[in-house]
Amino acid sequence: MENFWDSSVWGWMMVFATLLGSLLVGNILKKSIPLLKNSLIPTSVLGGAILVIVALIYKLITKEVMFDAPIFGANGTTSLEIITYHALALGFIASSFKTNGGKLTKQRTSEIFNTGVTTVSTYLIQGIFGLGITIVAALIMKDFFSAAGTLLPFGYGQGTGQALNYGTIYQTQNGFKDGKLFGLTIAALGFISASIGGVIHLNVMKKRGKLKLSSRSDGSLHSDRVESCNEIPMQESIDKFTIQIALIVVAYISAYFLMFGLGKLLPGMKSVIYGFNFLLGVLTATIIKTILNFLRKKRIVKKKYTNNFLMTRASNFFFDIMVVAGVAAIRLDELKDYWGIVLILGIAGAVITYVYNRIVAKILFPDYMEEQFLTMYGMLTGTASTGIILLREIDKDFRTPASDNLVYQNFPAIAFGFPMMFLATLAPDHPYLTLIIFVVFFAAMNIILFRSKIFKRQKKNKKDKEE
């Protein structure tokens, strides 16, 4: 029988209190210290970094792991990884429940499609360089895991949650010691690359007179941004936000039963299936949203139950928790043997992502090149939130289509990126074959991406020959 004063009762609460407390401390520091205030480092990353430093000092003094202390239920480190895992899916599910209005023009559809293809192409070029670097490292370093570089596109391109997912798969199924920590550290370096790289780029472009930074917004909201017409009341017998959370949880539990069934059908793929919790969560959320829309059209349900503003707040909360928990789970002392290769991967990831997205934005998005570049660079080294943070520095009112591209590109990105997720599971056993497939896949994606330029040039050459 549990007593209310036992650590097992309070352990999870202490973990959450520590994470949220670090966010508050990080926010205070960011508002108070000029260097941090002028930086674009997300508060969630700063809060996680504070916990990493505190945990390191605690370890030096006590020789114990801070989050494994009794006050955290003796398994706080595992709790941090579990929180990161679930928060990733919950954040994506909340985003999937948001509705978009208006019809897209042919040009806008093409730009959104190109943005999705750019996302996958960046994953691939990150994978090519990452895997290439660690294959070489494995030839030099004894017993080094040659497929470790495959975590670069998951840490940079997809963020903390997916870096943890694949790090866990490599650690449990392929024997990569500290695979989880390796993935989480790569993701943390991604946030640093987004923040520092973004600030440097903004300042350089500003000095050259090529862009003007936006003035800081006062953060005020108009009522039409909070609530649209024909929605359920904000407060009735049940609060509207409670409804949003209920829908998110129902979608996630539905995804769990789907994963459970697939795991029974494909037991050898169980780790991969459960690693796609966020993707299956998006699927179940989309199905539920479609059913609700159908019921509204048939007038069976009279009011709209989802609210974009509240779903955005929910997704941002889950992503903040995901990032701070993922960063806090890093244990620097256990990565002492890998710091050289981790830093090489981090620098390579930042440079390749910067250069490639700069080229794409210049060629395919000339009307709003800087906005598109900053959005994509921020997202593909950190998260979508990081991309938005960079964008707001020059487009605070989102007058350009860059922010919409970021939202809607998920559909083509998932469609084209899905095969890469399976290829990542091939890398540990066949690293050279995986590298070759990455290169071929990257070439194919760039033919699709630059199709208008390639085939337009071919048509022009053909016409010139005929003349």
Side-chain angles (χ1 to χ4, degrees):
M1 181 177 177
E2 296 283 358
N3 294 311
F4 288 136
W5 53 83
D6 288 343
S7 60
S8 58
V9 175
W10 286 92
W12 274 94
M13 185 58 68
M14 290 301 300
V15 171
F16 272 107
T18 303
L19 294 177
L20 294 171
S22 71
L23 285 172
L24 292 175
V25 173
N27 189 57
I28 292 170
L29 293 177
K30 190 170 173 62
K31 297 292 185 183
S32 305
I33 301 174
L35 180 63
L36 294 176
K37 188 176 182 178
N38 294 328
S39 77
L40 300 177
I41 297 175
T43 300
S44 54
V45 176
L46 187 58
I50 291 169
L51 292 180
V52 169
I53 295 170
V54 172
L56 184 61
I57 295 171
Y58 182 91
K59 181 72 178 288
L60 291 173
I61 296 173
T62 66
K63 310 300 181 186
E64 302 289 338
V65 177
M66 185 179 78
F67 279 103
D68 287 343
I71 194 172
F72 295 109
N75 61 350
T77 302
T78 302
S79 298
L80 292 174
E81 294 170 356
I82 293 171
I83 290 169
T84 303
Y85 171 78
H86 288 309
L88 169 71
L90 292 168
F92 270 102
I93 289 170
S95 297
S96 300
F97 272 115
K98 293 164 61 178
T99 56
N100 52 348
K103 292 184 178 180
L104 297 174
T105 64
K106 184 178 179 180
Q107 180 182 348
R108 290 292 302 117
T109 302
S110 178
E111 289 173 346
I112 290 167
F113 178 80
N114 287 341
T115 302
V117 176
T118 303
T119 297
V120 179
S121 296
T122 306
Y123 294 164
L124 288 165
I125 197 170
Q126 289 171 342
I128 290 167
F129 277 84
L131 187 55
I133 289 169
T134 52
I135 285 175
V136 173
L139 297 174
I140 300 171
M141 300 168 61
K142 185 179 178 183
D143 299 327
F144 183 74
F145 187 68
S146 60
T150 315
L151 292 172
L152 181 60
F154 294 109
Y156 271 50
Q158 298 191 14
T160 310
Q162 278 297 83
L164 174 65
N165 282 355
Y166 276 88
T168 301
I169 292 171
Y170 288 166
Q171 183 168 319
T172 56
Q173 288 197 340
N174 305 109
F176 179 24
K177 182 187 175 186
D178 300 322
K180 292 186 284 188
L181 289 174
F182 194 95
L184 290 173
T185 306
I186 290 292
L189 286 177
F191 281 108
I192 294 172
S193 298
S195 304
I196 295 177
V199 170
I200 292 173
H201 176 82
L202 285 167
N203 288 329
V204 169
M205 291 295 106
K206 182 182 177 183
K207 286 181 179 179
R208 292 179 179 177
K210 292 187 176 182
L211 59 83
K212 182 180 179 182
L213 300 185
S214 298
S215 57
R216 300 288 180 177
S217 173
D218 62 0
S220 60
L221 290 170
H222 299 289
S223 60
D224 59 339
R225 292 181 60 187
V226 176
E227 187 173 22
S228 60
C229 62
N230 205 33
E231 288 187 1
I232 59 173
M234 190 65 74
Q235 286 183 326
E236 204 175 36
S237 58
I238 184 172
D239 192 272
K240 185 188 282 192
F241 188 66
T242 306
I243 294 288
Q244 313 306 302
I245 297 299
L247 288 170
I248 293 168
V249 172
V250 167
Y252 195 31
I253 293 302
S254 300
Y256 166 75
F257 286 119
L258 183 57
M259 289 185 286
F260 182 81
L262 290 172
K264 290 293 184 183
L265 290 172
L266 303 167
M269 296 286 290
K270 186 177 285 188
S271 293
V272 177
I273 290 167
Y274 279 87
F276 288 155
N277 65 328
F278 76 101
L279 191 57
L280 294 174
V282 168
L283 175 63
T284 54
T286 303
I287 292 172
I288 292 172
K289 184 170 72 171
T290 303
I291 292 172
L292 288 174
N293 289 337
F294 174 79
L295 293 175
R296 283 189 66 215
K297 286 182 180 179
K298 295 296 181 180
R299 305 299 296 171
I300 297 172
V301 174
K302 301 293 192 298
K303 296 285 187 178
K304 183 180 176 183
Y305 276 75
T306 58
N307 175 273
N308 283 1
F309 175 77
L310 294 178
M311 283 298 182
T312 300
R313 303 282 70 76
S315 65
N316 288 348
F317 169 76
F318 289 127
F319 285 140
D320 280 339
I321 289 294
M322 178 195 75
V323 171
V324 71
V327 175
I330 296 171
R331 289 163 62 180
L332 298 176
D333 56 304
E334 294 199 7
L335 282 170
K336 58 181 181 296
D337 296 331
Y338 300 135
W339 269 113
I341 193 68
V342 165
L343 290 174
I344 292 172
L345 283 171
I347 294 169
V351 172
I352 291 304
T353 305
Y354 182 96
V355 172
Y356 180 71
N357 279 275
R358 190 75 181 153
I359 292 170
V360 171
K362 186 176 182 178
I363 296 174
L364 297 181
F365 301 89
D367 294 336
Y368 50 100
M369 181 186 74
E370 289 295 345
E371 291 84 356
Q372 178 73 9
F373 165 71
L374 284 169
T375 304
M376 295 303 290
Y377 175 75
M379 181 186 71
L380 290 166
T381 49
T383 63
S385 298
T386 320
I388 293 297
I389 289 171
L390 289 173
L391 176 62
R392 286 181 69 90
E393 292 296 314
I394 59 173
D395 184 18
K396 71 179 180 67
D397 295 321
F398 302 136
R399 296 182 184 278
T400 65
S403 60
D404 286 341
N405 291 350
L406 189 67
V407 174
Y408 301 134
Q409 62 86 30
N410 283 295
F411 297 103
I414 289 172
F416 285 113
F418 196 72
M420 183 182 172
M421 296 181 180
F422 283 105
L423 283 173
T425 62
L426 177 71
D429 297 321
H430 306 284
Y432 292 98
L433 176 61
T434 304
L435 182 60
I436 293 170
I437 296 174
F438 277 175
V439 172
V440 174
F441 196 2
F442 177 72
M445 292 304 295
N446 277 274
I447 291 173
I448 295 172
L449 182 60
F450 296 105
R451 62 196 179 282
S452 60
K453 303 296 180 182
I454 294 171
F455 297 113
K456 183 178 179 182
R457 190 177 302 158
Q458 288 181 347
K459 287 181 181 179
K460 184 179 179 181
N461 292 337
K462 186 178 179 180
K463 186 177 180 180
D464 290 343
K465 286 181 181 179
E466 290 175 352
E467 291 176 353

